[in-house]
Structures are given as C-alpha cells and as structure tokens.
Amino acid sequence: DGGITQSPKYLFRKEGQNVTLSCEQNLNHDAMYWYRQDPGQGLRLIYYSQIVNDFQKGDIAEGYSVSREKKESFPLTVTSAQKNPTAFYLCASSTLGQPQHFGDGTRLSIL
Amino acid sequence: KQEVTQIPAALSVPEGENLVLNCSFTDSAIYNLQWFRQDPGKGLTSLLLIQSSQREQTSGRLNASLDKSSGRSTLYIAASQPGDSATYLCAPGGTGNTGKLIFGQGTTLQVKP
C-alpha cells in the first residue's frame, strides 16, 4: 500500500546528542514536510521541500537540519542546539495543491 | 503573520447530533484550506480540501465551507457517531502554491453513545 513511513516510533536523546528521524514515502509526491506538535497545540512547520536537493526553513527551523537527496526520503536531524526537543514529530507529503498525507509520527523524549 | 483560531476547544455531544466546528484566520490571502482529523497519538488524516475559489466541499457526512473575505471556515458533521470522536484541525495554506500550512490548535470532539 502507498503511504508514509516514519521511524522509529519512539526515540530518546541524551544531552549533547544529535538524533535523526526517518521519513519515507512511496506516493510519488514531490513535496515533503516536517512538523512539530507539542501537547495541546497545533502543528508548527520545521522544514519543507518542494523538490529533490532543495528545502526551505519553516517557522521553527532553529536546532534542526534536513536533507532531500532522494524523492522518497526526507530525514530530520534534531541537533544538540535544539534545547527543548521533547515533542511529537510528524512528516507529511503531497503533490502541491493537493491534500497532505501524514505518517504516524515519532515521539522524541530526553533521557 | 497568519493566526488560526478554532472554537470551541472541546465539545461533547450525544450520538446523532449535527454539529459545527469553527475556524477563523487573520490573513485572507490563502491558497486553500484543509480540515484534518487526528486520533490520539496518531498522525493526521485529511478530511477535506477547499480551494480559495470554492465556497464549500462535501464528503459523506462532512461539509466544509469557506468564506475567505471574512477569514472563516466551518466544518459541519451530520448525524454524529462515536467513531467521529477525535481532534479536528483547520489549516489554511499561505499565499502561492507552496504547500505551507498554518494550523489551529484544534477542536477535540467526544460523541457519546
């Protein structure tokens, strides 16, 4: 079945450590997005990519980095510079102008 | 900067009621608007997408309307069922077809059997 796969489902980060969240889609979508959701809050855009080898910062990009080397993949790295990384991270993809499809998310916590 | 407000924040209704969820946004220069559903601990499921030139969209028991000039959208759910219990999120898209969405905080709906 076509869809978006996020892994791992749960992730723990130690102080000073960088961690990478995986997002893979087989929907042949050009655009991919990373959002952060805090408890009781709506989603906030971290980074987005409209095409391979190109990406733009969203509203809360500080402390995060991304790459888009393949159409199917858009990994997100949470760096040690992100001081409050505990959140639910959601990846989405779409054809521009069409509904965004979401993965099941990765829950990141601090050890 | 676009700000999105959803009212009410929470709603509890008996099964079978018709209900309306409200969404308001401050910048009317939107490309489209999407409504999503989120179940606890899960990702989002797209319900309806309304283009800026449209007034409404319907899917089954769901109907979404858009009044761009007044910065308002409503999601109407007919004959509510316990399976409709979830958080509903409204997300207008910014100017131009960038795919960037700004989300409201959502309305959490509980439908009691």
Side-chain angles (χ1 to χ4, degrees):
Chain A
D1 284 356
I4 299 178
T5 302
Q6 289 189 242
S7 62
K9 191 173 179 67
Y10 299 95
L11 187 58
F12 299 91
R13 196 191 87 170
K14 296 179 182 178
E15 288 288 334
Q17 185 182 45
N18 294 350
V19 292
T20 297
L21 285 60
S22 172
C23 177
E24 303 278 334
Q25 55 100 358
N26 61 4
L27 299 168
N28 199 33
H29 288 161
D30 289 313
M32 297 187 74
Y33 312 85
W34 274 106
Y35 296 93
R36 169 181 172 141
Q37 186 175 34
D38 293 283
Q41 302 292 316
L43 280 67
R44 292 182 290 168
L45 183 64
I46 304 173
Y47 269 99
Y48 67 104
S49 168
Q50 295 179 331
I51 196 168
V52 175
N53 292 323
D54 188 42
F55 49 82
Q56 286 78 39
K57 293 182 179 179
D59 298 319
I60 55 166
E62 185 174 351
Y64 301 97
S65 66
V66 293
S67 63
R68 186 85 188 277
E69 298 176 0
K70 298 187 301 182
K71 187 175 186 178
E72 301 81 15
S73 179
F74 192 39
L76 173 73
T77 296
V78 184
T79 75
S80 57
Q82 173 49 245
K83 298 306 180 187
N84 185 22
T86 298
F88 189 45
Y89 291 86
L90 288 160
C91 178
S93 71
S94 75
T95 297
L96 285 178
Q98 297 301 310
Q100 290 189 15
H101 296 252
F102 281 77
D104 282 339
T106 292
R107 195 166 298 280
L108 176 62
S109 303
I110 297 295
L111 279 178
Chain B
K1 179 184 174 184
Q2 179 76 279
E3 293 183 3
V4 183
T5 303
Q6 291 188 245
I7 294 173
L11 184 62
S12 181
V13 301
E15 182 176 4
E17 274 205 5
N18 302 325
L19 53 99
V20 176
L21 308 182
N22 296 293
C23 171
S24 62
F25 46 95
T26 55
D27 185 351
S28 62
I30 63 171
Y31 190 83
N32 55 28
L33 184 143
Q34 295 185 45
W35 282 93
F36 295 90
R37 166 188 173 134
Q38 185 176 30
D39 293 294
K42 297 290 188 182
L44 278 64
T45 300
S46 179
L47 298 174
L48 290 162
L49 181 149
I50 311 176
Q51 302 293 349
S52 62
S53 58
Q54 296 177 318
R55 296 285 293 183
E56 65 179 90
Q57 278 283 356
T58 298
S59 176
R61 294 183 292 109
L62 305 179
N63 175 278
S65 67
L66 174 64
D67 184 342
K68 206 173 77 159
S69 61
S70 67
R72 295 181 186 275
S73 178
T74 62
L75 180 67
Y76 175 82
I77 302 177
S80 59
Q81 302 171 358
D84 294 330
S85 299
T87 296
Y88 291 81
L89 295 157
C90 161
T95 304
N97 191 15
T98 65
K100 291 178 64 177
L101 299 177
I102 303 297
F103 283 83
Q105 293 187 344
T107 293
T108 298
L109 171 65
Q110 182 185 35
V111 181
K112 299 177 180 177

